[in-house]
Amino acid sequence: ALAMQGLASVREDQPNMLCLMDVLCRVPTGTGARLAAFYEFFLCAKVSHTDDGCRVHFASGETTRQTLTFKEDDSELAWQPGQHGLCLYLSEAQFRVAFAKCRRTGLSSSAAWEDVERVAEFSVPHCCDPGSGSCVLELEHVLRSPLHPSCPSVLRGREVLMGA
């Protein structure tokens, strides 16, 4: 139900697909399981646990597979708060469910479904632990419906899959 932004087209009649297959985020030790819980609960994502973190799985169509890998690492390469953000496209059904969950827990400050539906996006300021509500990682997410005007044309009219 998610697709990472990173698909582009130079001309509508000659698609030029640009796709990141994996994005690696080095995060503080001890956050991997809680990040997995965030993606599984709020975004209904398919997540695999690794020895040193977790991997979130994305697919746009039958052939393009992408992952977002969180690797626990306390070195100087680890996460610097407030410097990053993601834009993710969800299927229409997952978009509605994600908004309901985020709104119910106070993670999204968007006022009403009608407003979110009209602009086809909402944002959350960080990844939080679904059990405690505490911030796990300062990583803003802009979550969009496939009806958003900036949705890559290769995703329009196509079901965006999760965990393929």
Side-chain angles (χ1 to χ4, degrees):
L2 299 174
M4 297 180 72
Q5 187 172 16
L7 304 173
S9 178
V10 175
R11 290 180 24 197
E12 287 298 315
D13 61 337
Q14 294 181 350
N16 180 18
M17 189 166 156
L18 169 64
C19 178
L20 299 174
M21 298 313 292
D22 181 66
V23 174
L24 173 65
C25 298
R26 297 178 187 273
V27 296
T29 300
T31 59
R34 294 183 300 149
L35 285 166
F38 167 80
Y39 284 96
E40 289 171 328
F41 178 78
F42 288 104
L43 305 183
C44 301
K46 170 74 173 152
V47 177
S48 57
H49 297 266
T50 63
D51 290 340
D52 56 359
C54 68
R55 184 168 291 121
V56 184
H57 300 270
F58 304 87
S60 57
E62 293 299 318
T63 59
T64 305
R65 304 285 187 258
Q66 298 170 296
T67 54
L68 175 59
T69 302
F70 292 100
K71 178 180 171 57
E72 294 182 357
D73 180 358
D74 286 328
S75 74
E76 69 279 354
L77 298 175
W79 195 257
Q80 298 298 315
Q83 295 183 356
H84 309 283
L86 292 175
C87 178
L88 304 173
Y89 289 90
L90 289 72
S91 70
E92 288 183 71
Q94 292 294 25
F95 180 73
R96 182 181 292 268
V97 169
F99 175 73
K101 288 181 177 182
C102 291
R103 180 72 181 125
R104 186 172 35 251
T105 60
L107 189 56
S108 174
S109 61
S110 298
W113 169 248
E114 293 75 22
D115 296 329
V116 168
E117 185 178 37
R118 181 177 43 75
V119 296
E121 77 174 30
F122 69 97
S123 62
V124 295
H126 58 266
C127 300
C128 74
D129 183 317
S132 68
S134 64
C135 177
V136 177
L137 189 69
E138 288 185 42
L139 175 61
E140 182 181 17
H141 287 64
V142 175
L143 304 169
R144 291 181 173 167
S145 152
L147 302 176
H148 191 278
S150 294
C151 182
S153 60
V154 296
L155 296 180
R156 289 188 196 277
R158 194 188 269 192
E159 184 66 18
V160 182
L161 308 170
M162 172 70 66

